[in-house]
Amino acid sequence: MRKFLFLMAFIICSFSFSATLTQSWLVSTTSGASQGVGAGIVLMDAGSALRGLDFSTTESKVFLASGTNIYVINSNDGTTTGNGYNQNGQVDVTGASGGTRVINKVKVADDGAIYACNLQTAIATGALKIYRWANSASSISVAVNTTISGLPVARYGDSLGVIGSGVNTEIYVSGSGQTRILKFTTTDGVNFTLATTIAVTANYGGTDIAPVAVNGNLWVSGSGVLTYKINQSGTVLETISGTVAATGWPVSMIAKQKMVILTF
Amino acid sequence: MKTPGNTSGAKVGNLINVTSGAASATNDYQTPTIGSNANANATAAAAYDSLTDSVYFMITNNGYGKYSDPSLPVELSGFETE
């Protein structure tokens, strides 16, 4: 109990004020150039190209989904040089095709495997595809290639959540305005099939899905709604207060003990 | 996102610890301004780097970067089990 009280006191003392994060490096259209970044940077464009990002603790690299590619970023300095399948800062996307955006979101599993999904606005007739790489230097494989009819909303691929390792890896996908979260599982760690659809209130999970544990609860966020923790049945267990992350366009992600909520 | 963004520029990142299932505004961390463009598709992404206690932000149409603070609350990992 004393340990618990000490810990609580430490928490209160540590976080009773807001702090400014120190910038290590930044590639920004504001500056028109990179700050603290060397050669081989990925420049932002005006076409909303970059929509996905994740970090691999296995490789200590950052992955950026650009709509058609995944850039491999050195987490120490923001550069792309010498990284990836072709050493040009990109993963292998040979054969990737289909969807409004071929590669929309990217997430890294606990074992370092990289997963990316396309953005499909008509899943009944156009395939939702999820690609897999064992690591950033590996060849691409197709983990999911499926059309699904009968769903109330057709759009999938705005959000992607991945957790677990190998045969215990789980993939969650949803989309803007969506009332379902698709859950994919695997028996070989490479090929995935639809395990279940989780019914949710519209947009719960439309922006981001952050699994807490394998076959466990999910933190979800979406446009026009708050950030919630739901269970595997879609029941809301907890809600992040609107005073912390107001209804609008929050984007959240849990990584180990943290949730990062962007408000903008 | 299908709906055009309602943002006037990306500027803030809130880092919230939810190990206990709760979140508090007192845990907010602010970033310097990442960009000033309208986020036409109003989407972004974030990731936590447990190796260096850093966070990565990407704001569509604005930029991406790495931010850190030595006081990031990694110590709370044992909170739920106490």
Side-chain angles (χ1 to χ4, degrees):
Chain A
M1 185 64 178
R2 290 181 62 189
K3 188 176 181 182
F4 174 79
L5 293 174
F6 175 79
L7 186 59
M8 286 298 294
F10 176 78
I11 294 167
I12 293 170
C13 291
S14 298
F15 306 115
S16 60
F17 58 90
S18 294
T20 299
L21 293 169
T22 300
Q23 177 183 297
S24 299
W25 50 263
L26 172 67
V27 177
S28 169
T29 53
T30 298
S31 63
S34 59
Q35 301 172 18
V37 180
I41 63 172
V42 181
L43 294 174
M44 303 297 292
D45 71 354
S48 305
L50 300 181
R51 297 191 189 180
L53 170 149
D54 204 2
F55 173 76
S56 169
T57 55
T58 304
E59 298 190 60
S60 191
K61 292 174 181 173
V62 178
F63 302 105
L64 280 172
S66 73
T68 57
N69 217 319
I70 295 176
Y71 290 98
V72 187
I73 309 295
N74 184 324
S75 63
N76 294 321
D77 59 13
T79 61
T80 56
T81 305
N83 289 326
Y85 178 76
N86 55 8
Q87 298 297 297
N88 291 323
Q90 300 171 5
V91 302
D92 173 32
V93 292
T94 304
S97 65
T100 302
R101 294 167 57 83
V102 175
I103 295 177
N104 197 45
K105 289 295 175 78
V106 60
K107 290 290 177 68
V108 181
D110 297 343
D111 57 4
I114 304 158
Y115 295 86
C117 65
N118 67 350
L119 174 59
Q120 182 55 260
T121 57
I123 193 173
T125 55
L128 170 70
K129 294 184 179 180
I130 302 172
Y131 303 102
R132 180 186 185 275
W133 299 261
N135 56 63
S136 64
S138 302
S139 299
I140 188 174
S141 67
V142 180
V144 172
N145 183 351
T146 184
T147 56
I148 305 172
S149 61
L151 294 174
V153 181
R155 183 180 174 115
Y156 283 89
D158 287 306
S159 58
L160 174 69
V162 177
I163 193 167
S165 302
V167 297
N168 293 317
T169 304
E170 297 175 344
I171 303 174
Y172 298 85
V173 179
S174 192
S176 181
Q178 190 51 253
T179 57
R180 299 288 188 277
I181 296 174
L182 308 182
K183 177 182 179 181
F184 297 90
T185 57
T186 179
T187 57
D188 62 7
V190 177
N191 301 291
F192 289 71
T193 57
L194 181 65
T196 188
T197 61
I198 302 172
V200 294
T201 300
N203 265 331
Y204 284 22
T207 300
D208 203 2
I209 304 167
V212 177
V214 173
N215 204 32
N217 299 325
L218 312 168
W219 282 97
V220 295
S221 65
S223 60
V225 298
L226 296 173
T227 300
Y228 306 93
K229 183 163 75 174
I230 64 173
N231 63 17
Q232 289 279 314
S233 299
T235 302
V236 174
L237 304 176
E238 299 188 49
T239 303
I240 298 293
S241 167
T243 60
V244 175
T247 299
W249 301 93
V251 177
S252 62
M253 177 179 180
I254 277 190
K256 296 189 184 299
Q257 304 88 5
K258 312 291 189 209
M259 171 176 281
V260 177
I261 293 183
L262 297 177
T263 58
F264 50 87
Chain B
M1 297 298 140
K2 290 186 292 186
T3 307
N6 59 353
T7 60
S8 58
K11 60 180 180 180
V12 178
N14 294 334
L15 180 65
I16 300 167
N17 189 292
V18 292
T19 301
S20 64
S24 168
T26 59
N27 285 351
D28 287 0
Y29 283 79
Q30 306 234 335
T31 67
T33 298
I34 292 176
S36 59
N37 291 337
N39 185 344
N41 280 277
T43 191
Y48 174 65
D49 176 351
S50 60
L51 302 177
T52 61
D53 293 341
S54 302
V55 289
Y56 302 91
F57 297 136
M58 187 281 297
I59 312 288
T60 298
N61 284 346
N62 281 277
Y64 55 94
K66 178 181 183 179
Y67 300 86
S68 62
D69 187 291
S71 63
L72 288 176
V74 293
E75 297 85 353
L76 298 184
S77 59
F79 179 73
E80 279 186 324
T81 59
E82 289 295 318

